[in-house]
Amino acid sequence: MKRRGILITAVMILFCSAALYFLNKGDSANRQAKALPFATDNSTVPVISSKEKLNQYFKKVMKEERSNFSLYKMEESTAEDSGGSSENGAQSFDASETNNQVQGVDEADLVKTNGSHIFQVVDGKVHIIETNDGDDMKLLHSFSFPDHFSPSELFLHGDKLLIVGHSYEEMEASKKVDDSNKMMIAPINEMTKAIVFNIKDPSNPKEERTISIEGHIVSMRKIDGKVYVVTNQFPQYWLLRENEDVDLRPRYKDSTVSGENLSVGYDQIHIFPESKEGNYTIIAAFDLENPEKEAKITTYLGGGNQLYMSKENIYIALQNWNVRPLSDRSDATVNTTIYKYAVDNLNVEFVHSTEIDGNILNQFSMDEHNGYFRVVTTEGNTWDEESPSANHLFIFDDRLEKVSSIEDLARGERIYSARFMGDKIYMVTFKETDPLFVIDASKPEEPEVLGELKIPGFSNYLHPFDENHLIGFGHDTKVVPAKDSSEPLIFTEGVKLSLFDVSDMKNPKEKFTKIIGGRGTYSPLNYDHKALLFDKGKNIFAFPINIYEETEGENFEEGFKFQGAHIYNIDLNQGFQLRAEISHMKGKQIYEEWHNEIRRILYIDESLYVLSNGKITSHSLTDYKLKDELTLN
């Protein structure tokens, strides 16, 4: 019950903080991308420097929130009525890797392998499985954690296993503080915890260090053993109304330094002039190969919800929402601030920023190539007939000064997916049909849309096949005329695979398609790129899928058919060829089962491993026949 109460409190605080956060945005959108009016040299970005200045900052945040909230309520009362590859050092084994966006920049995942063992996060536990070539799998070790810690993702580097998750903790006021000062430390409700284990002996892992950072995870990356964890923390600054001496600094813990919670120094909290954000971005950088080396903590007032990382820089995107009357809600706009941080080993420093029109879909909407930063956005709402949405490409130099742009693509539609492949940029928008735009950015000062392909359905994930072919993964759609509206009804149908031929950039073609199931069919790959196993050399394209088909004689009812994984070969002359359907279900089932839901698929040498919440099965890579099965529950 105690844990449940803590969780509920934390969720309520985060929800309220997030609501205030979105209401707090100012109206700063312009029609052109522009640089923000603050210094772009980190050495000149000021720091808070004192407790008084930090409290003053949050008081201004609260004042503006009250002003915005009052305006909002007044308007409401008068109104009539939202692939890459990873790196684990020198790899001598033949095994698949996490499907990363940037080669050499590893992303945390539910499952990792070192070629002889599989490490899996599932249901609050972390399992270490000895594979034995898939013939006799064994559960070597299963980590157990306190109730207040929930593991979510893993990193693997040599003989180091990093387990990262959420930790809900309460923290009492420091006993060292004189009661006469009436100092109160704001309680910690959520921390991101990273635990490093030495797995030289996988059956007996040894904990080496623990690093905790206040806030929830935005994203994580690893380069050559260096790990970068980015969190967003919403301090409970409304406590200032009760006690002006409350300490609102973010906290962290590094077992290499101390077993106690440490507060970020006032002279280490950076603030951008004119910033009005009521939260912190905290970047923790530490070295898996040197557990005795202190973590570097970088802190800025302000947040962000999307992250892209190259080998040299981190880009964090912050959406800026504007408050408008409910009666004029269709005129609301969103712009995005991009913050660029230079990475040098464990040193992470802010260097530049810019503000752009529109909203960023996800990390694949951003890219760095030959020193240029490229980003695609959607501005406006697809349902706004008077001012329809538009889609843009912006290209910036290394100082985030705009070099060029292509604007107002696909009016009335929004971006569903994007992929940057060197000088080529691919973007899918959708409302009734799926236009695939092919953009040549070989001349950053003069990008050009060379081709456009309109087809039914949409792709919400794009993956490179080779230099001249692109794989689209999304859904088929059906357009049905509406009786009482000029706008037709769009129904999402089965999962759709597309193989695009882009060898002629001016004339892209959908060379092959494959429709799987009917309405209701879905795959984790629709929203999680790490669910894909793709290896062109082995000709494997595999992903989890849940299949539904329309019930005979019914227009809007679908029946459950299959839960498992599909394994495909891709042939440039014959298209998608289904090689195997693998399910962890036994017998005929009429609905999905959580414990049999496939989460990841990977291979090691000549064996394929399919992992669900409840078991692991191994299969021959030659014919996909079952070799072994290991139940984890």
Side-chain angles (χ1 to χ4, degrees):
M1 292 296 294
K2 181 179 179 181
R3 183 190 180 201
R4 182 182 179 188
I6 294 172
L7 287 172
I8 292 173
T9 301
V11 170
M12 290 179 66
I13 290 172
L14 287 173
F15 177 82
C16 293
S17 300
L20 292 173
Y21 167 75
F22 285 121
L23 285 173
N24 188 42
K25 303 303 173 185
D27 188 2
S28 56
N30 289 317
R31 200 59 199 91
Q32 299 294 325
K34 57 184 180 298
L36 287 181
F38 52 70
T40 58
D41 181 354
N42 182 70
S43 63
T44 62
V45 175
V47 296
I48 284 293
S49 76
S50 70
K51 178 179 180 297
E52 290 72 23
K53 290 183 179 179
L54 183 63
N55 287 0
Q56 185 180 19
Y57 173 87
F58 283 122
K59 287 179 180 178
K60 288 182 179 179
V61 170
M62 286 193 292
K63 182 178 180 181
E64 182 150 340
E65 284 173 352
R66 286 195 297 269
S67 175
N68 284 340
F69 187 72
S70 298
L71 175 63
Y72 181 83
K73 293 298 292 182
M74 179 181 67
E75 291 164 345
E76 182 179 27
S77 65
T78 58
E80 294 180 0
D81 288 340
S82 180
S85 63
S86 66
E87 45 78 39
N88 287 307
Q91 183 169 309
S92 58
F93 52 88
D94 182 20
S96 55
E97 302 173 335
T98 297
N99 178 29
N100 298 314
Q101 180 182 9
V102 178
Q103 185 173 3
V105 181
D106 194 16
E107 300 181 33
D109 200 1
L110 302 172
V111 175
K112 295 286 185 179
T113 181
N114 62 3
S116 59
H117 298 80
I118 292 173
F119 305 82
Q120 179 189 20
V121 178
V122 60
D123 196 22
K125 299 178 181 179
V126 175
H127 300 304
I128 301 179
I129 299 98
E130 186 177 38
T131 59
N132 293 317
D133 297 324
D135 294 319
D136 185 22
M137 295 183 291
K138 289 182 171 62
L139 178 61
L140 285 187
H141 186 83
S142 184
F143 293 89
S144 296
F145 302 99
D147 288 344
H148 59 74
F149 176 68
S150 177
S152 58
E153 292 184 295
L154 306 171
F155 275 122
L156 193 63
H157 185 81
D159 59 5
K160 311 293 183 183
L161 173 67
L162 175 63
I163 301 174
V164 183
H166 303 279
S167 179
Y168 294 90
E169 301 178 3
E170 294 282 355
M171 191 178 87
E172 297 178 356
S174 173
K175 297 178 180 179
K176 298 179 181 179
V177 177
D178 187 348
D179 288 341
S180 63
N181 291 330
K182 298 181 181 180
M183 174 69 80
M184 180 181 71
I185 300 177
I188 292 177
N189 292 102
E190 181 181 16
M191 296 192 82
T192 295
K193 179 177 288 187
I195 311 173
V196 181
F197 290 91
N198 187 310
I199 53 168
K200 205 165 190 177
D201 178 3
S203 64
N204 186 29
K206 302 291 187 182
E207 183 175 333
E208 287 191 340
R209 74 183 298 186
T210 300
I211 299 170
S212 298
I213 313 103
E214 198 168 5
H216 66 272
I217 299 173
V218 174
S219 197
M220 298 175 285
R221 298 292 189 271
K222 179 174 73 72
I223 301 176
D224 296 331
K226 310 295 190 302
V227 176
Y228 307 89
V229 180
V230 181
T231 69
N232 207 325
Q233 191 251 338
F234 290 84
Q236 301 175 49
Y237 46 81
W238 48 84
L239 293 174
L240 286 170
R241 296 168 184 160
E242 301 175 1
N243 189 331
E244 295 237 352
D245 290 317
V246 65
D247 188 349
L248 295 173
R249 291 175 294 171
R251 276 142 295 178
Y252 68 97
K253 183 188 295 183
D254 184 354
S255 62
T256 296
V257 179
S258 170
E260 301 296 325
N261 284 297
L262 305 172
S263 295
V264 175
Y266 292 108
D267 59 350
Q268 297 299 314
I269 300 174
H270 296 83
I271 176 174
F272 302 120
E274 300 184 14
S275 173
K276 299 177 182 178
E277 301 299 324
N279 57 333
Y280 296 102
T281 289
I282 307 168
I283 306 174
F286 54 94
D287 192 344
L288 291 178
E289 296 180 351
N290 295 287
E292 73 288 346
K293 195 169 186 178
E294 182 178 351
K296 293 287 187 70
I297 308 296
T298 305
T299 306
Y300 288 86
L301 277 164
N305 57 354
Q306 298 290 349
L307 182 144
Y308 168 84
M309 185 173 184
S310 67
K311 285 190 173 183
E312 292 81 25
N313 300 291
I314 294 174
Y315 298 85
I316 298 178
L318 169 66
Q319 295 177 351
N320 303 311
W321 296 80
N322 299 313
V323 177
R324 298 293 179 90
L326 290 179
S327 59
D328 192 27
R329 190 58 66 178
S330 64
D331 191 38
T333 60
V334 181
N335 54 35
T336 301
T337 303
I338 305 292
Y339 298 102
K340 178 180 179 179
Y341 300 84
V343 176
D344 181 13
N345 290 316
L346 298 184
N347 297 313
V348 180
E349 293 187 343
F350 167 80
V351 286
H352 304 292
S353 67
T354 193
E355 190 171 291
I356 55 178
D357 294 314
N359 179 40
I360 288 178
L361 176 65
N362 55 33
Q363 67 186 66
F364 289 94
S365 297
M366 298 179 280
D367 175 77
E368 182 185 276
H369 179 62
N370 290 338
Y372 291 93
F373 176 71
R374 295 95 61 87
V375 57
V376 292
T377 68
T378 296
E379 182 182 12
N381 301 317
T382 57
W383 57 84
D384 187 351
E385 296 182 359
E386 295 183 1
S387 180
S389 58
N391 305 282
H392 317 303
L393 163 69
F394 299 109
I395 299 179
F396 299 89
D397 64 15
D398 60 353
R399 295 182 59 83
L400 287 188
E401 295 181 358
K402 193 177 77 164
V403 172
S404 61
S405 66
I406 299 177
E407 303 182 32
D408 297 333
L409 291 173
R411 277 282 188 179
E413 302 180 0
R414 72 169 178 87
I415 294 172
Y416 270 65
S417 59
R419 195 78 192 210
F420 295 81
M421 294 168 56
D423 291 333
K424 299 177 181 178
I425 300 173
Y426 303 97
M427 184 175 74
V428 168
T429 62
F430 178 77
K431 186 176 182 182
E432 295 179 19
T433 59
D434 171 359
L436 170 69
F437 291 96
V438 181
I439 301 172
D440 179 11
S442 57
K443 297 179 180 179
E445 298 81 5
E446 300 176 352
E448 182 181 4
V449 176
L450 294 184
E452 179 182 349
L453 174 65
K454 290 189 176 182
I455 52 176
F458 59 84
S459 298
N460 48 20
Y461 177 68
L462 297 173
H463 195 88
F465 180 77
D466 60 24
E467 185 178 352
N468 295 315
H469 296 87
L470 187 69
I471 303 168
F473 191 95
H475 281 280
D476 190 26
T477 56
K478 182 166 66 176
V479 180
V480 178
K483 295 181 180 180
D484 302 323
S485 174
S486 60
E487 292 288 331
L489 300 175
I490 311 297
F491 291 97
T492 300
E493 299 291 310
V495 164
K496 179 182 180 182
L497 310 181
S498 300
L499 183 63
F500 298 106
D501 183 343
V502 290
S503 54
D504 181 358
M505 295 181 66
K506 294 183 179 180
N507 185 31
K509 298 177 181 179
E510 187 179 41
K511 193 171 184 180
F512 295 103
T513 63
K514 173 73 177 178
I515 309 297
I516 307 170
R519 191 176 308 150
T521 300
Y522 70 95
S523 168
L525 183 52
N526 290 122
Y527 54 85
D528 180 7
H529 64 280
K530 300 172 192 175
L532 174 67
L533 168 62
F534 174 71
D535 189 289
K536 188 172 182 296
K538 293 185 181 295
N539 200 2
I540 298 175
F541 186 83
F543 50 87
I545 192 164
N546 294 271
I547 300 177
Y548 288 79
E549 290 188 346
E550 292 185 15
T551 303
E552 187 174 351
E554 300 289 341
N555 291 327
F556 298 102
E557 289 190 14
E558 293 74 35
F560 172 75
K561 180 183 179 184
F562 175 82
Q563 180 182 42
H566 271 195
I567 318 295
Y568 286 87
N569 291 160
I570 301 178
D571 187 286
L572 293 180
N573 296 314
Q574 299 181 24
F576 298 95
Q577 300 173 313
L578 181 62
R579 291 293 311 279
E581 288 185 309
I582 298 174
S583 177
H584 284 181
M585 285 185 161
K586 300 295 185 182
K588 183 175 177 59
Q589 302 293 332
I590 60 174
Y591 50 81
E592 299 176 19
E593 298 174 338
W594 176 85
H595 61 282
N596 284 323
E597 179 186 0
I598 304 301
R599 305 299 301 278
R600 293 293 185 264
I601 309 158
L602 60 91
Y603 72 79
I604 303 173
D605 295 325
E606 297 304 316
S607 296
L608 184 81
Y609 298 87
V610 179
L611 296 89
S612 66
N613 292 316
K615 70 177 69 170
I616 300 177
T617 55
S618 60
H619 308 259
S620 167
L621 264 183
T622 304
D623 55 16
Y624 299 106
K625 289 184 178 179
L626 180 67
K627 296 175 66 176
D628 192 24
E629 180 177 307
L630 176 66
T631 301
L632 298 174
N633 293 338

